[in-house]
Amino acid sequence: MSTVAIDIRPANADDAASIAAVHDAAWRNAYRGLIPGRELERMIERRGPSWWSGALRRGSRVSLLMFGGEAVGYASSGRNRASTLAVGGEVYELYLKPEYQGLGLGRRLFNAARGELAGRGLIGASAWSLAGNDPACAFYARLGGKLAARGVEHFGDVTLEKFAYVWR
């Protein structure tokens, strides 16, 4: 019998390449066909290892999900950026490699991000998702998120609707 270790830990600059690999795989899976192809490729390309290394060195809070020693997911979090949402924290991003989705790992990662926010005294949380990203919207709803706001995001000449979910 073998056991696979699952761990969630704070990321550091040495994890930049691993986070970029998760970002690349997850974004291609989540947004292909939703975000225009050229814009999606530009966004993925911009978020390579050097971008992540810089973000982590500047103090970005990223929780890294390790499965059997491999980075398979991450969540970034911090202060809520939308003044219209009456919560203190925000889960900015939460992504898993596609082959690790649907196993309960996203829930664990989300709970870790919420714990990190609470540990900083940030009460409540929000998370945004593109309205057309049905799996993400369903995920946040299953976690008890309440639809609290709508907005738009521009990708080149395409405008897509987005939803804000909140947890109090």
Side-chain angles (χ1 to χ4, degrees), residues 42-124:
R42 286 180 185 160
M43 293 171 76
I44 291 170
E45 192 173 297
R46 271 194 303 260
R47 293 293 234 19
S50 62
W51 187 93
W52 284 105
S53 180
L56 290 163
R57 282 192 174 100
R58 287 187 303 277
S60 291
R61 306 270 181 132
V62 177
S63 298
L64 192 61
L65 175 70
M66 305 297 291
F67 185 89
E70 176 188 359
V72 301
Y74 73 90
S76 63
S77 61
R79 291 196 175 282
N80 175 33
R81 299 173 290 184
S83 62
T84 58
L85 302 175
V87 293
E90 181 177 346
V91 177
Y92 303 137
E93 295 186 43
L94 189 150
Y95 291 103
L96 294 170
K97 287 184 174 179
E99 61 269 30
Y100 293 91
Q101 295 175 10
L103 305 174
L105 298 174
R107 177 181 294 272
R108 289 174 75 162
L109 188 54
F110 180 81
N111 289 337
R114 290 283 316 270
E116 205 279 328
L117 292 170
R120 295 177 59 203
L122 300 172
I123 307 304

